[in-house]
Amino acid sequence: MEGNRCHVVVVGGGIAGLAAAWYLGQGGENVRVTVLDGARRIGGKLHASEVAGIPVDAGAEAMLARRPEGRELARMVGLGDELRHPGTTQAGILSRGTLRALPKGQVMGVPSDLAALARSGILSPGGLARVPLDQILPATLITTDVSVAAYIRARMGDEVVERLIEPMLGGVYAGRADRLSLDATMPKIAAAARSERSLLTAAREIAAEPQKEAGPVFTTLRQGMGSLPAAVAAASGAEIRTGVTVRELSRTETGWRLVTGPVPDPEVIEADAVILAVPAPAASRLLAGEVPKAAAELSRIEYASMAIVTLAYPRDAFPEPPTGSGYLVPPVEGRPVKAATFSSVKWPHLAEADPDLIVLRCSIGRLGEEMLLQRDDAELAALAMAETAEVTGVQGLPRDSRVTRWGGSLPQYDVGHLDRVARIRAAVAPQPGLAVCGAAYDGLGIPACVSTARTAAARILDHLDPTGEWQRKADSLTKG
């Protein structure tokens, strides 16, 4: 503590760490915040750069609009007027060699409308005939967390898992349905599995639920989601230090001691409180000495890698301009590209920036496909171009391209994830002035990360200022 000012260090400059710094800033002038990040820039997986002269996201391109945390943060840091909504969210699935529309009423790939499923042609006749058996089969008892594949396969058969569920989960988590937790990745389906005998009936009820908030499901920023980190950092008032890796974290009599810098020339930073907003492996390493139980649980969270190939084609290179927001590809198709987004169709502001250009983002890589990602950038771009040509009929070379690699970037919410997170938080809870946040815990999306950041900041501010004055200030800003 310097005079009457408390020093809080946030380790990690991704959106969770920066959001935590912003919320900490609502604690008033008595809180000084420092954000440390080992990378050369802030933002983590939120980054935008120009492709053919247009700013296009290289990481996450949107956030859920129906969860308020992301939109509220954007508004509070001065980006409210920059929010943009999609022109279309109609996506397809490349199944059995043909691009097909997602069936109406599906819930994370779980069909709720048999007629719409049949019209889509995604399943074979045999796969389609298996689905309604769900309505007459005995209940599948779920007493503990199970994999997504285990439950849905038991109710609706292999093809629903292979051709609907897998591409959905691959697009979000780059994971595998036979490993991912039903409770963590499909909470509404998991709740229904414990109360409804039929999954088809449960999916119909979920699909028919009125939305709490009308309007688009997703939103982005005019200059890309990559413009959010800098705005949050500037508004936070925190000291931002990049290229600084924290090597050690230990308790002191009055707070915490962080060791950074090279081993021969270390820098020691004293803090009254610390928020760890880094991926699970880094958090595990830093907590190993002081909170070994949390460290052990964090070490069990596996991460998947992926790459995004962005291609910008002249509009007249397509026999017909793409329609819809893009398409997903089931692993069973055996293709390198797992998803493609027609960005300048999905986001009208990109089309307005250059009406003669069509921008596509191709996602490559799922858990277990590390060999594919070892190919060089030129090979990955060639794979994406070949698939784009086959699916859309585009001819010639793109005007510009970009390959972005996200190594070890997507935490896998395997079976038992929610219990693991509960054990991590239970181990951290007794440590005064320590909190964790980020994508490893309650969701990969921006709003979920911001939510964990607010919770972490609240824990620290409650520790530093038990009067709760900071909370009243933060609430007034949010409501404003």
Side-chain angles (χ1 to χ4, degrees):
M1 183 177 292
E2 300 176 359
N4 292 325
R5 297 189 78 196
C6 298
H7 185 207
V8 183
V9 173
V10 177
V11 184
I15 193 57
L18 296 171
W22 188 88
Y23 284 115
L24 288 167
Q26 310 318 302
E29 296 179 356
N30 291 332
V31 178
R32 178 170 72 90
V33 182
T34 302
V35 177
L36 306 177
D37 197 287
R40 289 176 292 179
R41 62 166 181 83
I42 58 171
K45 294 185 286 296
L46 295 187
H47 180 58
S49 63
E50 287 194 353
V51 178
I54 299 175
V56 181
D57 280 304
E61 65 160 8
M63 57 184 171
L64 279 173
R66 291 177 180 172
R67 276 198 67 161
E69 299 94 338
R71 288 183 295 106
E72 286 178 354
L73 182 64
R75 189 185 75 245
M76 290 186 291
V77 301
L79 295 179
D81 291 340
E82 295 286 293
L83 291 167
R84 297 291 185 271
H85 301 313
T88 178
T89 56
Q90 182 57 55
I93 285 187
L94 189 65
S95 183
R96 293 183 289 123
T98 300
L99 192 58
R100 309 169 190 272
L102 270 172
K104 180 181 177 181
Q106 55 82 26
V107 179
M108 278 296 288
V110 178
S112 68
D113 184 329
L114 289 176
L117 180 62
R119 287 193 299 271
S120 74
I122 291 172
L123 305 188
S124 70
L128 183 64
R130 170 61 180 84
V131 177
L133 295 182
D134 160 78
Q135 297 176 302
I136 60 174
L137 288 170
T140 302
L141 296 177
I142 303 292
T143 56
T144 61
D145 192 17
V146 298
S147 75
V148 172
Y151 174 69
I152 296 177
R153 182 177 287 116
R155 300 310 310 170
M156 294 184 168
D158 292 338
E159 283 198 33
V160 167
V161 173
E162 292 172 355
R163 297 194 174 273
L164 284 165
I165 305 302
E166 286 281 17
M168 284 286 188
L169 294 178
V172 177
Y173 298 94
R176 303 285 180 173
D178 60 355
R179 291 185 50 174
L180 290 171
S181 156
L182 186 68
D183 284 337
T185 65
M186 294 186 176
K188 287 189 175 182
I189 294 293
R194 292 176 168 89
S195 60
E196 291 280 356
R197 181 180 61 79
S198 165
L199 176 57
L200 191 62
T201 299
R204 284 173 182 157
E205 292 174 354
I206 294 170
E209 288 178 1
Q211 294 294 333
K212 293 181 181 178
E213 186 173 342
V217 177
F218 299 103
T219 189
T220 192
L221 295 167
R222 185 175 62 86
Q223 295 294 319
M225 291 309 307
S227 64
L228 182 62
V232 177
S236 73
E239 178 188 4
I240 309 294
R241 297 180 58 189
T242 56
V244 179
T245 300
V246 179
R247 294 191 288 105
E248 298 177 22
L249 177 67
S250 57
R251 286 280 303 157
T252 67
E253 290 184 2
T254 58
W256 296 87
R257 177 178 182 267
L258 301 94
V259 179
T260 73
V263 174
D265 186 23
E267 176 189 359
V268 175
I269 300 174
E270 301 287 342
D272 298 288
V274 172
I275 293 178
L276 296 182
V278 290
S284 175
R285 174 175 55 80
L286 291 174
L287 292 176
E290 297 290 347
V291 198
K293 289 183 178 179
E297 296 292 348
L298 285 160
S299 71
R300 296 185 178 98
I301 299 177
E302 192 170 354
Y303 279 67
S305 300
M306 61 173 293
I308 295 177
V309 180
T310 306
L311 306 171
Y313 285 95
R315 179 173 289 272
D316 60 12
F318 291 84
E320 294 182 8
T323 59
S325 61
Y327 62 90
L328 302 168
V329 184
V332 71
E333 290 289 306
R335 294 172 178 263
V337 173
K338 68 176 184 179
T341 301
F342 303 139
S343 298
S344 52
V345 177
K346 183 175 182 179
W347 303 111
H349 66 279
L350 292 181
E352 292 167 3
D354 189 340
D356 295 326
L357 204 65
I358 290 182
V359 179
L360 301 93
R361 289 182 5 135
C362 298
S363 178
I364 297 177
R366 300 178 181 86
L367 187 69
E369 294 182 350
E370 290 75 17
M371 289 294 291
L372 174 62
L373 294 173
Q374 288 179 8
R375 303 188 187 195
D376 64 24
D377 287 359
E379 287 183 277
L380 290 182
L383 288 172
M385 283 184 253
E387 179 141 319
T388 298
E390 182 180 344
V391 175
T392 70
V394 66
Q395 297 180 349
L397 296 174
R399 187 179 298 173
D400 197 5
S401 64
R402 179 187 65 196
V403 177
T404 311
R405 295 175 183 269
W406 298 108
S409 62
L410 293 169
Q412 299 299 289
Y413 288 10
D414 287 349
V415 173
H417 179 78
L418 297 185
D419 288 341
R420 177 167 293 117
V421 169
R423 291 192 294 269
I424 292 167
R425 289 184 169 138
V428 170
Q431 304 294 324
L434 178 67
V436 295
C437 65
Y441 305 98
D442 302 324
L444 306 190
I446 293 167
C449 288
V450 172
S451 178
T452 67
R454 181 181 173 113
T455 300
R459 171 175 162 80
I460 296 305
L461 291 172
D462 281 341
H463 167 69
L464 299 176
D465 177 18
T467 67
E469 178 62 26
W470 73 270
Q471 181 69 67
R472 288 187 284 276
K473 293 178 182 178
D475 285 345
S476 67
L477 283 168
T478 301
K479 292 172 183 175

